[in-house]
Structure formats: C-alpha cells, structure tokens
Amino acid sequence: MIPAAFDYEAPGSVEEVLQLLAGAGDREVKLLAGGQSLLPVLRMRLAAPDLVVDLGRVPGLRGVRDDGDAIVIGAMTTHDDVTREPLIRQHALLLSHAAQTVADPQVRHRGTFGGSLAHADPAGDLLAPALALGAEFVIAGPSGRRTVLAADFFTDLFATAIGAGELLVEVRVPKYTGWGAHYEKFNVVAQAWSIVGVAAAVRTDGGTIAQARVALTNMGLVPIRAIGVEQALIGRPASAETIRAAAVRASEGTAPMGDANADEDYRRHLATVLVGRAVLAAVGG
Ligand SMILES: Cc1cc2nc3c(=O)[nH]c(=O)nc-3n(C[C@H](O)[C@H](O)[C@H](O)COP(=O)(O)OP(=O)(O)OC[C@H]3O[C@@H](n4cnc5c(N)ncnc54)[C@H](O)[C@@H]3O)c2cc1C
C-alpha cells in the first residue's frame, strides 16, 4: 500500500530536530531512522503522521566512541556497524552477537541501533541485550539531555520513556571486557524476529561463574532480566550441571503472550531450553 501523504523534513542538527518537534503543535510527528520498521507501518497505514522528520542528515548520531568505563553508541549506528565495530566486540560482545541475528544484510545496513530500541518491539533482538548489560539511554529534549536506565526505558508494548518532543541520541554501555557472551534466538523461519531470545553475558574466574547477566526477549511486553537464573549461576562452577539447574528458573517473573507462533507454555519451555544454550555458549562450553 502507499502511505498517507505527509510533510517531510531532513534537519541538519539535533537542535533543529528538537525545534521541529516543538513547533509541531497538534500535528503528529514521526522520526525516521533506518525506516525498517517505520516504513512498513506507514505503508500498512497503521500510522499516518502529518510530518516525518528524517534523522539521516543529523551529524554525530552515528558511530561508537570509548568513554572511559563505558562505550557510547550513537542512535543512528546501523546494526551492521554494531556487528563489526571493534569497540563493541571488545567491550560489549553480547550486542555484536545479537545484532548479527537481526534480519538480513539489507535490513542490517539500513536499520539502526537507536531505531530498534525506540521502536521497542517485544520480539526485537537488541532490547534484552541492552537490558542485560545495564545500558543507559541518553534522550535529548527541549530542556536538555537526560539519561534513563534500561530497566526504566522500556515501559510497555512498543512504548518507551522517550516523550513527545524528545529523541534518543545515544546509548552508554558499561564495559564488559573479557566477559563471555551469547545471544540465542529461536525462530521458525530464517531472518525473522525472535519467538523467544536469550541474552547472556558471563564472567568466569578459575572455572567459577563470578558474574552473570541474563535477559529474555519476547517473554513479556518488555524485555525481562532473568534474575533467578543469574542468582543460580553466580558463585557456582561453570558446568553443564550448574547451567541446567539455573535454566529451570528461566520463566520466573515472565508473562509471555500467546500468538500464532507459540502459546505461553511453549514460550516458557523455550526460555528454559534457550537459557541453557545461551549460558553454556557464553561460558565457552
Ligand atoms: C524484513 C525485516 C526483518 C526484520 N527482522 C528483525 C529481526 O529479526 N530482529 C529485530 O530485532 N528486528 C528486525 N527487524 C526490524 C529492524 O531491526 C529495524 O531496523 C528496527 O526495528 C527499527 O530500526 P530503524 O532504524 O529502521 O527505525 P525506524 O523504522 O526508522 O523507526 C522505528 C521507530 O523508532 C522511532 N525512532 C527511530 N529512531 C529514533 C530516535 N533516535 N529517537 C526516537 N525515536 C526514534 C521512529 O519514529 C519509529 O517510530 C526487521 C525488519 C524488517 C523490515
């Protein structure tokens, strides 16, 4: 289908984006990043904004930089950049792994890290890794910039802490240098969203699991930290037996939805199996 008509602006700075958002009044505005989620939504006429503001010409929103104890990923950094960027591979390997599982090369070259997180699809593959790693979201608005923790950023189905008149500019990720990491995704056709996904990052010390961060994709309206699994891993030997016992706690605190792909019980079963696989791979088993 052809989208409903809209006005189009391509501003040249974050300040200009904010001015356009502030000046929109009652008109509905949509920000355009890679367009890989927004354009299908417009074409299906699930949204009909009056104005589309393209972030593609705003300098400084794409790229990754080292910021001491964290790396900072610009919102317009593409999925492909995330898979290849040496700083991410060195300090946040989990994100690199997860981005590799997103769609196909075409989508990964256009789709952006910030667009994925702002879209907040519960089946999106970058939300749980960002939550597991305790990422911080830097949001620009009329009164300056504010930082929101990942645990507070995803507020509901396709909803985030980004308010009207604001945009996501970058994401700070603490460094997990030397940690093992793996993103395990289950889907029935290649190059599709997760039916369930598991993001796992683990630090081992002399054969013992010293630290563990695990989060789940599509086990609720928002990504969920698997705290019970983490507790069952930390301080124990990095063995298949430990991991099997911890994985049993995968669905604690989850509220999976049923849909044409899987009902709630099947998703809980998948979470257990995939947590086992993800953690085993993360510890190098
Ligand atoms: C065929 C296909 C397969 C796919 N498979 C997968 C998959 O397996 N896993 C997966 O995770 N995703 C998948 N996707 C989605 C893909 O990852 C998109 O890139 C992503 O969801 C949105 O990123 P984008 O840059 O394209 O954002 P856009 O589509 O441009 O924007 C998405 C939404 O976020 C808002 N937005 C964008 N940037 C900002 C910002 N900086 N600040 C505030 N709001 C912003 C927009 O207004 C819009 O509402 C797939 C997409 C397609 C077309």
Side-chain angles (χ1 to χ4, degrees), residues 45-85:
R45 298 211 176 191
L46 296 172
D50 303 295
L51 172 63
V52 170
V53 176
D54 189 347
L55 301 178
R57 292 187 197 161
V58 179
L61 290 184
R62 182 172 176 181
V64 183
R65 66 174 200 276
D66 194 322
D67 192 28
D69 55 1
I71 54 171
V72 180
I73 306 172
M76 289 294 283
T77 306
T78 66
H79 302 315
D80 189 64
D81 294 340
V82 171
T83 68
R84 292 171 196 277
E85 170 58 52

Side-chain angles (χ1 to χ4, degrees), residues 30-40 55 75-76 79 101-104 107 110-116 118-119 123-126 162 166-169 185 191-194:
K30 280 281 183 195
L31 296 172
L32 173 67
Q36 299 304 297
S37 295
L38 183 61
L39 292 188
L55 301 178
M76 289 294 283
H79 302 315
T101 74
V102 171
D104 50 44
V107 172
R110 293 293 309 176
T112 67
F113 187 59
S116 245
H119 189 54
D125 289 299
L126 299 171
I162 304 170
E166 295 185 319
L167 78 151
L168 178 66
V169 285
K185 164 173 175 172
Q191 303 174 342
W193 287 261
S194 283

Side-chain angles (χ1 to χ4, degrees), residues 3-17:
F6 52 80
D7 291 334
Y8 172 85
E9 296 280 357
S13 68
V14 169
E15 291 66 35
E16 281 179 43
V17 175

Side-chain angles (χ1 to χ4, degrees), residues 11-12 34 38 44 51 59 62 69 96 103 108 122 128 130 136 146 191 229 244 249 255 258 266 283:
L38 183 61
M44 287 186 279
L51 172 63
R62 182 172 176 181
D69 55 1
S96 178
R108 291 199 293 274
E136 296 175 0
R146 63 192 179 99
Q191 303 174 342
V229 172
R244 242 192 326 271
R249 299 184 62 180
Y266 184 47
V283 299

Side-chain angles (χ1 to χ4, degrees), residues 118-140:
H119 189 54
D121 183 336
D125 289 299
L126 299 171
L127 287 62
L131 178 67
L133 298 184
E136 296 175 0
F137 295 73
V138 181
I139 297 171

